[in-house]
Amino acid sequence: LHNHVKTYETFTVLKGRFEVRWNDDGSGRAVLGQFDTISLPPGICRAFRNIGEDEGILQVIITGGVHDMADIAFTPAARQEIESVRPGLAEEFEKTGFTFTAGR
């Protein structure tokens, strides 16, 4: 899960099926099929993943604010997930400007 401080994101499934989660804990959830669309405002934590059997295509339109590292924050739980991939990986994210303060 991550959020954006100043930007909106609008997702449209062009191919496949995607799960979109939102809220600080990911408790909001929707499964999107072809041409389904969802838009999330700044400050709302969100995550998305391909849950289809094949490769999917998810179009993302970003509007408002500036889309750079300073606009993106991951949740503390995302930090733990990243660390489970490889210890020290979250620190590498932080070195590039990402933070783990979303949802606080």
Side-chain angles (χ1 to χ4, degrees):
L1 289 163
H2 70 284
N3 72 10
H4 294 269
V5 178
K6 296 181 180 179
T7 57
Y8 292 80
E9 284 186 316
T10 301
F11 304 95
T12 301
V13 176
L14 300 181
K15 178 183 172 186
R17 292 178 62 232
F18 284 81
E19 176 189 63
V20 179
R21 294 183 300 134
W22 61 89
N23 292 331
D24 292 352
D25 61 356
S27 60
R29 179 182 178 272
V31 173
L32 305 180
Q34 188 175 27
F35 304 128
D36 287 340
T37 301
I38 188 169
S39 184
L40 296 159
I44 302 297
C45 290
R46 78 279 315 255
F48 48 91
R49 68 185 176 111
N50 180 357
I51 60 169
E53 296 294 319
D54 299 316
E55 179 179 71
I57 299 174
L58 183 65
Q59 174 181 265
V60 182
I61 299 172
I62 300 168
T63 57
V66 176
H67 190 71
D68 62 16
M69 301 301 184
D71 188 57
I72 302 170
F74 291 95
T75 62
R79 186 182 213 291
Q80 293 173 347
E81 289 180 41
I82 290 167
E83 281 294 300
S84 72
V85 172
R86 180 171 50 86
L89 186 57
E91 186 176 313
E92 291 180 35
F93 274 58
E94 291 171 319
K95 287 178 185 176
T96 65
F98 288 117
T99 65
F100 294 92
T101 58
R104 288 188 176 168

